[in-house]
Amino acid sequence: MKFKPLMMALLASALTLGLAACGSGSNGSASSNGRKNEGSTNSQTNSGTKEDTSKKEVKITFQNIYPDPTDPKYKMIRTVVANYEAEHPNVKIELDSLNTDQQKVKLKTQAASKEVPDITIVNPAAQMKPFVDAGLFAPLNEMVEKNGLKGTFQEGILDYYTFDNNLYALPDGNNIAIVYYNKKMFEEGGVKVPTTFEEMVGVVKQLKAKGIQPMAIGEKDSWTGSFLFMNILLRTNGGPGFLQDVIDGKKTFEDPAFTEAVNAFEDLVQAGAFQEGATSFDYNAGENLFKTGKAAMYFMGSWATGGIEESTANENQNVGVFKFPTVNGKGNPDEFMLAPGSAFAVSKDSKHLEETLDFLNYFLVNYPKEMFNLKGAIGLAQTVDGDFKAAGYSDMAMEVLNLFKDVKGGDLAFDNTMNPGTAQAHLSSIQNLFVSKTDAGVVAKEHQTAYDENKE
């Protein structure tokens, strides 16, 4: 995987956000090409496109993964769409908002029938490659040059969405995985922030004994458990690169680092970390357990910061964050699961390709400042113009910003690295561990068999 560019992007993110937090000027403000805003103080208008699209009625389907009304992205997308429609009365943007796994399944079905929405969501690298190979997406190289859009993205981040020098998607985030915790519930449980994984298991048991739900997860969307498992593997492997070593033939899934990670993960599950019926909670339902103060910890990408920022749990600055700890003394807490975000791609066969590209450009030009205004601008893939502290971001949000400065490397998610067949077997295998305890050797064998059967 292209680790170096992402490191550069994350470091650039930390530096940029740090400068922004100090009230420095922005390099992320996109130009409006000299055209004044029309009808909105929060939007910019592409030059020369309103006239082109005003002659015919156009409907653009915008598939997205922002269905949660408590997430700032929910309001952001509707605000930007409303502004665009006000400026382009002949264009109607139809939102198709789905949970992540629902969207993945729906897109696969649509792709099979060559009926991809005008705008859809893909994940970087290995996950989007099959769609690119199938010729489903339009190149965005020319579009990102308009209105300064390309310059708003952090250095290196677009590499994960580029194949054969063609850019096929634009990300909404560039994140790291962290643990959010409820300070009041920790106090009620008589526990402190764990500095090792073994302490984390102990904290789970103590909270459980006091009738406090230790952790929340939405494992119906199976990537959530995988994301946590991969952070454990990052530690037991002593650093990043386990999956790449498998791909390069240097290791197998039966390596001790992998089985140790399985055992540690099962220790957490068996300690009672997760809510009853975790596999029936989708991502939003799981996250809402934490946001409503019904769970003490939540392991997630820093993209969750915006929703937690305004939640019940964070009243009176009640939410803190900490780095995922070492496991059996292994690993470096400054190495994180890295998450170049889900990204917007455009159907090559869109009936309104010109208008769709125009809207997507407008959407992403306005995305950072709308998210900043909604206190959801932590972990964006684009630079952000604004002083976070002065804007009233919470101590928790500022803590997350500071964590970006500590990043010393890490791994991408399993399904962003491995081929789709192996990734699906992995997701199912890890999801099963929430239901029943399984010998680590069996889990390793499941993974190795899937890899051997699906590798190119």
Side-chain angles (χ1 to χ4, degrees):
M1 297 306 300
K2 300 175 181 178
F3 168 70
K4 186 176 178 181
L6 183 60
M7 270 294 297
M8 294 172 67
L10 284 165
L11 291 173
S13 170
L15 291 171
T16 301
L17 293 171
L19 288 171
C22 294
S24 300
S26 168
N27 60 357
S29 297
S31 161
S32 62
N33 273 357
R35 182 175 177 177
K36 294 181 180 179
N37 288 347
E38 297 175 2
S40 170
T41 58
N42 290 324
S43 62
Q44 290 177 284
T45 306
N46 296 337
S47 63
T49 53
K50 181 177 178 181
E51 292 75 17
D52 295 335
T53 60
S54 62
K55 299 177 182 176
K56 57 184 179 181
E57 296 296 318
V58 171
K59 186 177 80 171
I60 296 170
T61 301
F62 187 177
Q63 191 174 80
N64 64 86
I65 51 173
Y66 307 147
D68 182 1
T70 67
D71 189 317
K73 293 186 180 73
Y74 180 92
K75 186 174 182 181
M76 174 278 301
I77 194 170
R78 284 158 180 78
T79 299
V80 178
V81 164
N83 289 339
Y84 187 84
E85 289 178 338
E87 296 176 17
H88 304 76
N90 62 312
V91 179
K92 173 67 176 175
I93 311 297
E94 184 177 86
L95 296 177
D96 183 20
S97 302
L98 304 164
N99 290 333
T100 304
D101 273 12
Q102 290 175 331
Q103 187 271 332
K104 286 181 179 178
V105 171
K106 187 170 184 177
L107 178 59
K108 286 180 182 177
T109 302
Q110 292 169 323
S113 59
K114 303 285 186 184
E115 295 179 347
V116 174
D118 298 299
I119 300 174
T120 188
I121 300 295
V122 291
N123 283 285
Q127 281 200 63
M128 67 179 289
K129 187 173 185 299
F131 298 103
V132 173
D133 290 344
L136 297 173
F137 298 147
L140 305 177
N141 304 40
E142 185 176 338
M143 185 272 276
V144 295
E145 298 295 341
K146 296 179 180 177
N147 302 312
L149 178 60
K150 187 175 182 180
T152 70
F153 285 93
Q154 297 162 18
E155 182 181 358
I157 187 69
L158 298 182
D159 291 349
Y160 291 92
Y161 312 87
T162 300
F163 297 81
D164 295 329
N165 296 317
N166 281 321
L167 174 64
Y168 288 104
L170 296 168
D172 65 354
N174 188 17
N175 289 276
I176 55 176
I178 55 180
V179 184
Y180 301 88
Y181 74 100
N182 185 309
K183 296 176 183 177
K184 183 179 178 183
M185 296 178 84
F186 263 46
E187 185 177 343
E188 291 172 351
V191 297
K192 296 181 179 179
V193 171
T195 58
T196 68
F197 183 78
E198 297 69 41
E199 288 181 6
M200 177 183 276
V201 173
V203 165
V204 164
K205 291 178 178 177
Q206 283 184 255
L207 291 171
K208 191 80 174 174
K210 295 247 177 136
I212 297 171
Q213 176 56 49
M215 302 185 81
I217 195 167
E219 182 55 16
K220 184 177 180 181
D221 291 349
S222 53
W223 63 267
T224 56
S226 166
F227 202 41
L228 173 56
F229 170 78
M230 285 298 295
N231 210 145
I232 296 174
L233 179 59
L234 176 63
R235 298 288 182 264
T236 59
N237 191 52
F242 180 87
L243 295 183
Q244 191 59 53
D245 282 347
V246 172
I247 293 170
D248 293 340
K250 298 176 182 177
K251 290 183 177 178
T252 72
F253 284 102
E254 295 173 279
D255 186 274
F258 188 84
T259 53
E260 184 179 0
V262 173
N263 284 325
F265 185 82
E266 293 204 276
D267 286 346
L268 195 63
V269 174
Q270 295 300 316
F274 306 105
Q275 75 274 13
E276 191 72 25
T279 56
S280 64
F281 285 71
D282 65 21
Y283 170 82
N284 293 316
E287 184 167 289
N288 280 331
L289 285 179
F290 181 79
K291 290 197 296 189
T292 55
K294 296 176 181 173
M297 288 183 281
Y298 184 48
F299 173 83
M300 191 42 62
S302 52
W303 61 77
T305 302
I308 294 171
E309 175 88 353
E310 299 294 303
S311 71
T312 304
N314 197 36
E315 288 180 357
N316 301 316
Q317 309 269 11
N318 186 48
V319 173
V321 296
F322 63 90
K323 302 171 185 175
F324 199 85
T326 58
V327 179
N328 294 326
K330 299 177 182 176
N332 181 350
D334 287 336
E335 292 173 337
F336 294 79
M337 286 303 296
L338 309 173
S342 53
F344 306 100
V346 171
S347 170
K348 184 188 69 177
D349 298 321
S350 168
K351 294 178 181 177
H352 309 291
L353 184 58
E354 180 182 350
E355 293 87 351
T356 300
L357 293 172
D358 181 76
F359 166 71
L360 184 59
N361 179 282
Y362 176 98
F363 177 79
L364 287 166
V365 164
N366 287 283
Y367 180 90
K369 56 179 173 287
E370 290 293 343
M371 288 299 288
F372 179 78
N373 292 337
L374 293 166
K375 293 189 173 60
I378 306 294
L380 300 192
Q382 295 165 272
T383 54
V384 178
D385 182 15
D387 185 332
F388 285 76
K389 189 71 175 177
Y393 278 69
S394 71
D395 292 345
M396 179 270 296
M398 300 307 295
E399 281 185 69
V400 177
L401 275 178
N402 286 329
L403 289 182
F404 277 91
K405 300 175 184 176
D406 296 337
V407 176
K408 297 293 189 294
D411 275 328
L412 299 183
F414 193 103
D415 49 5
N416 287 340
T417 307
M418 276 288 171
N419 60 68
T422 306
Q424 187 53 56
H426 159 76
L427 293 172
S428 298
S429 182
I430 298 301
Q431 189 181 50
N432 288 338
L433 299 182
F434 285 84
V435 179
S436 62
K437 185 173 173 58
T438 306
D439 183 84
V442 173
V443 177
K445 185 67 176 176
E446 288 174 348
H447 280 71
Q448 190 59 41
T449 299
Y451 178 69
D452 290 338
E453 290 177 349
N454 288 285
K455 67 182 178 182
E456 294 178 352

